[in-house]
Amino acid sequence: SGNDSSLTGDSDFAGALKEADNVVIASHQSKTGEVGPSLLIRENARATGIVDKPRDWDSAVRRFYPRFLIAGEEHPSWELAVFERAFLHRSSGIEGRFSKEDRVIDYRLSLNQFPRISLWRLLEGSVLAKEVRNKIVLIGLTAEVFHDIHATPIGLMPGLAINANVLLMLMRGDFFSFVPKWISPLLIFLSCWIAMLLALLGSVLTGALCVLFLSVFYVAASFLLFSHQVILDVWLVILGTVGVFGGTLLLRELDLWLERLRLREASARDP
């Protein structure tokens, strides 16, 4: 009937889900810890998965949880649930790679780079079966008027495009990893020590050029590792290097200024 408040709406929808037997329903975790949708829909869908994503300090979505532990019960993410149902022969090999810890999303495509079918084409019946046969179809809202728009490292993106990127990452097997935790402190120590020596023993121009070269080298190395799915955060290393170099220069100049004052006073009193 098109009226979602009708008494038979949920049962009709549940019957359609059971007949199709290939629909994975997206759900959210409520504030009380419950996982929607209703029990009738969950029992008749092929599977359900949670679409919630954590946000970073700048409200950008960079990570996702493959699995959620809610009230002692484990729930997969929507993307993982879709992947496990679509690729049964591959899901066993990928199962051990995921825990309840968050993973970095490998954003590869924007919304416009995914093939899309508008709702009006479905309503008028102009969508051919071959357009969707043997394909994974994500159904959701993409227009900005619906406010399901989120900040990502490659710009604003509707939630459905974020889901598509996560699913694409699962299909390609492209998973980010981080360098060992001891690498960053070691780089900070070595870089700050080099910066201090440059500021104390060399000229300002030579030291500045060396620090600039070192910073460019760290950025280039970070991008090279990133292209191989390895994350190394070098910004703290660069900031520490520049800060130590600048601070040591200031201390050196202050020491020289105080020394000049002492010599000037001594020369005025020297008979």
Side-chain angles (χ1 to χ4, degrees):
S1 64
N3 181 9
D4 59 3
S5 62
S6 63
L7 297 178
T8 61
D10 285 352
S11 59
D12 292 341
F13 183 49
L17 292 175
K18 187 174 182 178
E19 181 181 356
D21 195 33
N22 62 355
V23 179
V24 179
I25 295 292
S27 61
H28 292 278
Q29 179 184 0
S30 67
K31 294 182 179 179
T32 58
E34 299 174 350
V35 177
S38 65
L39 181 61
L40 176 64
I41 301 301
R42 292 205 308 268
E43 289 180 342
N44 287 276
R46 182 68 180 270
T48 59
I50 301 177
V51 293
D52 299 327
K53 303 287 187 296
R55 294 178 179 271
D56 288 342
W57 61 271
D58 56 353
S59 297
V61 178
R62 296 184 177 88
R63 298 166 293 124
F64 83 105
Y65 289 105
R67 298 195 176 278
F68 296 78
L69 185 62
I70 302 173
E73 185 178 355
E74 191 174 272
H75 300 268
S77 67
W78 186 43
E79 300 86 357
L80 185 57
V82 171
F83 177 83
E84 289 175 340
R85 270 64 185 179
F87 302 97
L88 294 175
H89 62 287
R90 293 173 54 189
S91 60
S92 59
I94 204 172
E95 180 75 18
R97 304 187 66 171
F98 291 124
S99 63
K100 292 174 284 296
E101 298 179 354
D102 59 341
R103 301 298 296 265
V104 177
I105 301 175
D106 184 7
Y107 285 100
R108 288 187 174 269
L109 300 178
S110 64
L111 173 65
N112 294 329
Q113 293 174 291
F114 288 103
R116 289 182 292 167
I117 298 176
S118 300
L119 177 62
W120 65 267
R121 290 189 59 200
L122 291 173
L123 295 178
E124 72 172 13
S126 61
V127 178
L128 301 178
K130 65 179 182 180
E131 296 184 59
V132 295
R133 183 179 290 119
N134 297 325
K135 293 181 173 66
I136 297 177
V137 180
L138 305 184
I139 302 175
L141 306 173
T142 59
E144 293 187 10
V145 69
F146 295 107
H147 305 294
D148 186 29
I149 304 297
H150 310 274
T152 71
I154 61 174
L156 295 177
M157 186 177 294
L160 197 66
I162 297 176
N163 303 137
N165 271 286
V166 174
L167 184 56
L168 181 63
M169 182 178 68
L170 296 177
M171 295 168 60
R172 292 172 57 94
D174 293 336
F175 308 111
F176 282 107
S177 59
F178 291 85
V179 298
K181 294 182 178 180
W182 59 268
I183 294 292
S184 292
L186 179 62
L187 290 177
I188 293 175
F189 172 78
L190 292 176
S191 300
C192 291
W193 182 71
I194 293 173
M196 189 171 7
L197 290 180
L198 291 172
L200 291 174
L201 304 178
S203 65
V204 176
L205 180 59
T206 301
L209 290 176
C210 291
V211 170
L212 178 62
F213 172 80
L214 195 60
S215 300
V216 172
F217 172 77
Y218 281 140
V219 173
S222 175
F223 274 102
L224 180 62
L225 291 173
F226 187 81
S227 65
H228 290 80
Q229 309 299 111
V230 179
I231 296 178
L232 171 62
D233 189 0
V234 297
W235 297 113
L236 186 60
V237 180
I238 294 175
L239 289 176
T241 304
V242 174
V244 168
F245 179 76
T248 306
L249 279 180
L250 288 176
L251 290 176
R252 189 184 76 172
E253 293 302 318
L254 178 62
D255 183 66
L256 290 174
W257 181 70
L258 293 175
E259 181 66 15
R260 284 195 296 269
L261 286 181
R262 188 187 67 79
L263 292 175
R264 186 179 303 166
E265 181 182 2
S267 64
R269 294 182 178 182
D270 193 337

